Amino acid sequence: MSRDLIVGVDAGTSVIKAVAFDVAGAQLAMAARPNVYERLADGGCQQDMAQTWATTAAVLRDLGEKLPGLAGRILVLAVTGQGDGTWLIDAAGEPVAPGWLWLDSRAAAFVDAYRAGPDDRRRYLLTGTGITACQQGAQLAYMTRAMPALPQRAATGFHCKDWLYFKLTGRRATDPTEGVFTFGDFRARAYSDEVVDLLGLSAHRRLLPEIVDGTRTHHALSESAAAAVGLAAGTPVALGYIDVICTALGGGLYEPGRQVGTTVIGSTGMHMVLQHGADAVPLNDDNSGYTTCFPVPGTYAQMQSNMAATLNIDWLLDLAIDILGRAGVSRDRAGLLAGLDDLVLAARSGEIVYQPYISDAGERGPFIDANARAGLIGLNSGHGFADLMRAVFDGLAMASRDCYAAMGAQPEEIRVSGGAARSAALRRILAAALNAPVRSGGREEAGAAGAAMIAAVGIGAYPSMDECVAAWIAPHLGGLDRPDPELAAVYDRLYPIYVQSHRALTPVWRALASARRPA
């Protein structure tokens, strides 16, 4: 039997997926299982590391049941996963504690103090990335002060995908995105001891694993992992980049000769543009955003990321479900989503300003404020559920515009992926708010596809990413949603009010956070 498949694993916060592609990029099968996490009263948000591995192994076995003979057909297995967070293991390879997630806000006070201090600007100029409570650097700094036993017991600091790569291959490694934007110099695409020192973590420099680029390097599936996942020992395994970069790659961010942007509307909102060369990366005065290595030589993805995207939609849907349930009417999210596009588009835009900062971790892009919270401005007694949902969609579009504005030049086209990209209403609203054509990336599993593309180049199935993109991306792009001029004019009037509102509310959020703390 010939080896003709590439499998991409995408370990998300809520769902872990394994997707099989042929070498030309066609998706053949997918398996998925839910992933679970725990919220703590102190702002913590964590995941059981052993359970995350067990679920990943089970998903790969499920995929094998859908594709008989899978073990003999795989060319390479690629893995990506949720970004940021801190997953510590000891010298024996066992977890020191549950994995801290990107939703964890325990380091918020440290971040506020650090951003007000003298070292943040220099750290930002080296990493190109604003410090936030979700990042490993901030979380380790917090642990060092509040829970010193954790980093002292640890031998290696991972992110989610790094932990899974270790379980698959036995190698302690991270990739060029998460290693560099947290602890590195983006120009050198390597760790920076100066950054580690600026974070006060020189004593824990030993925790940083080697940086491995999946476009050039892979390692073999171990005997123990092979037994767990139902594949053949020795199968090449490639470490993908962080999930959002894999999603951007699989969603069409890279197209030689064009300047396109990518927006990923999932639990969070990720907005990216591609910069060719380190000198082309603009660094803002607010020390915000991410600069990440991209799996094409000499290129960088510049990213602004708002903490909550579809989480805002989920909140309003769940509110409706609760109210209906109390009246004896049973509905679920899927049922309410049916027909939601028509409902949203029928409501008037620009009447309510909604700030989509519903995450417990506040906001990180294009401004950083762990105290930021969602809010509705402009409500009157005539507004109903449809108006509220339209305001939420408008708020997501305004957050996207805010993020692109912080990155400078407007892309000539925006490619949208993530669960909400299926919404025609949201695509139309985004096109008008950004005043740019919006196109669906075409792939529902863009993250797994991007990881698989990195692996395909890494094993030599394609001589470069340019050739891989031509085969894997171009044939799958969706049609264009062009901006409606009248609606674009509405958003041009609304956007300054949106910005003014979140700036004015900064002291209110701070006061609310103080009031919520125990006396």
Side-chain angles (χ1 to χ4, degrees):
M1 184 178 294
S2 63
R3 295 190 177 272
D4 59 347
L5 299 180
I6 299 173
V7 172
V9 171
D10 185 358
T13 311
S14 301
V15 180
I16 298 177
K17 305 171 185 176
V19 188
F21 305 89
D22 67 20
V23 178
Q27 182 173 319
L28 303 181
M30 182 189 78
R33 291 196 181 201
N35 202 11
V36 296
Y37 58 88
E38 176 189 15
R39 289 191 179 275
L40 307 179
D42 61 355
C45 189
Q46 58 192 30
Q47 207 152 51
D48 185 288
M49 293 173 62
Q51 184 58 55
T52 298
W53 161 241
T55 303
T56 301
V59 168
L60 283 167
R61 294 195 302 271
D62 293 344
L63 187 66
E65 292 181 2
K66 294 186 175 185
L67 284 173
L70 177 64
R73 296 179 62 186
I74 291 185
L75 275 168
V76 61
L77 172 65
V79 61
T80 185
Q82 55 177 300
D84 285 319
T86 305
W87 299 53
L88 299 176
I89 66 169
D90 61 20
E94 294 299 319
V96 167
W100 288 33
L101 301 192
W102 58 275
L103 290 163
D104 197 294
S105 62
R106 281 176 281 189
F110 166 82
V111 169
D112 287 345
Y114 190 87
R115 280 177 55 80
D119 295 332
D120 189 46
R121 185 62 183 174
R122 176 59 181 167
R123 184 209 55 78
Y124 175 72
L125 293 175
L126 287 167
T127 62
T129 296
I131 190 170
T132 68
C134 63
Q135 291 169 3
Q136 188 174 111
Q139 291 179 358
L140 278 176
Y142 169 80
M143 286 181 191
T144 299
R145 292 158 175 77
M147 308 174 181
L150 293 185
Q152 288 170 4
R153 287 169 49 206
T156 310
F158 284 149
H159 303 89
C160 176
K161 62 175 172 29
D162 309 332
W163 160 246
L164 296 178
Y165 192 69
F166 170 73
K167 294 299 290 183
L168 290 165
T169 67
R171 297 296 294 250
R172 299 177 187 238
T174 192
D175 79 295
T177 53
E178 298 204 270
V180 173
F181 74 63
T182 304
F183 297 113
D185 180 341
F186 77 89
R187 296 166 185 84
R189 299 172 82 103
Y191 287 132
S192 165
D193 287 340
E194 183 180 357
V195 169
V196 176
D197 184 58
L198 287 167
L199 288 167
L201 294 173
S202 294
H204 298 308
R205 173 66 173 81
R206 60 186 169 73
L207 297 178
L208 307 189
E210 67 172 322
I211 294 176
V212 167
D213 191 331
T215 64
R216 297 194 297 268
T217 304
H218 54 267
H219 296 102
L221 184 68
S222 69
E223 293 278 356
S224 60
V229 303
L231 300 176
T235 299
V237 183
L239 179 59
Y241 285 30
I242 187 175
D243 62 344
V244 67
I245 293 300
C246 287
T247 300
L249 177 63
L253 178 60
Y254 180 65
E255 182 175 328
R258 296 193 68 199
Q259 182 65 23
V260 300
T262 295
T263 284
V264 183
I265 303 291
S267 298
T268 63
M270 305 283 188
H271 315 280
M272 285 166 278
V273 294
L274 206 63
Q275 306 292 356
H276 298 274
D279 292 339
V281 175
L283 299 175
N284 59 49
D285 294 333
D286 295 329
N287 299 354
S288 69
Y290 285 65
T291 299
T292 66
C293 302
F294 198 74
V296 175
T299 62
Y300 297 85
Q302 190 175 14
M303 175 172 61
Q304 287 283 351
S305 171
N306 49 295
M307 280 295 292
T310 58
L311 293 176
N312 294 276
I313 299 173
D314 293 344
W315 160 74
L316 192 51
L317 292 175
D318 289 346
L319 188 62
I321 290 167
D322 180 59
I323 293 171
L324 290 171
R326 293 173 187 273
V329 180
S330 178
R331 291 288 188 276
D332 57 17
R333 285 181 185 172
L336 289 178
L337 281 170
L340 187 63
D341 277 3
D342 292 339
L343 188 72
V344 167
L345 291 175
R348 290 186 60 184
S349 187
E351 292 202 349
I352 302 171
V353 173
Y354 177 69
Q355 296 108 346
Y357 316 132
I358 208 160
S359 168
D360 291 345
E363 189 50 281
R364 63 183 177 187
F367 64 93
I368 298 172
D369 189 341
N371 297 321
R373 291 298 181 267
L376 291 155
I377 299 174
L379 282 175
N380 64 48
S381 61
H383 290 136
F385 179 79
D387 300 295
L388 295 181
M389 189 58 79
R390 179 61 186 248
V392 169
F393 275 49
D394 287 349
L396 295 183
M398 290 294 97
S400 300
R401 179 164 173 165
D402 215 14
C403 286
Y404 277 109
M407 294 186 289
Q410 174 78 19
E412 60 188 272
E413 178 181 308
I414 308 293
R415 291 174 178 170
V416 185
S417 58
R422 293 188 291 271
S423 168
L426 186 58
R427 294 198 306 272
R428 181 184 175 193
I429 289 169
L430 276 173
L434 299 173
N435 201 16
V438 167
R439 187 193 300 271
S440 169
R443 286 189 180 276
E444 290 193 14
E445 304 306 332
M453 292 169 70
I454 288 170
V457 174
I459 63 169
Y462 290 89
S464 73
M465 193 60 74
D466 287 28
E467 284 83 357
C468 189
V469 164
W472 282 60
I473 301 302
H476 298 278
L477 293 174
L480 278 179
D481 287 279
R482 299 187 182 278
D484 178 312
E486 291 185 9
L487 190 55
V490 171
Y491 289 127
D492 283 343
R493 295 192 297 269
L494 186 64
Y495 177 64
I497 302 170
Y498 171 84
V499 173
Q500 181 184 14
S501 70
H502 72 61
R503 289 176 177 171
L505 283 169
T506 298
V508 177
W509 293 331
R510 186 181 303 117
L512 275 173
S514 178
R516 284 193 295 265
R517 297 189 190 103

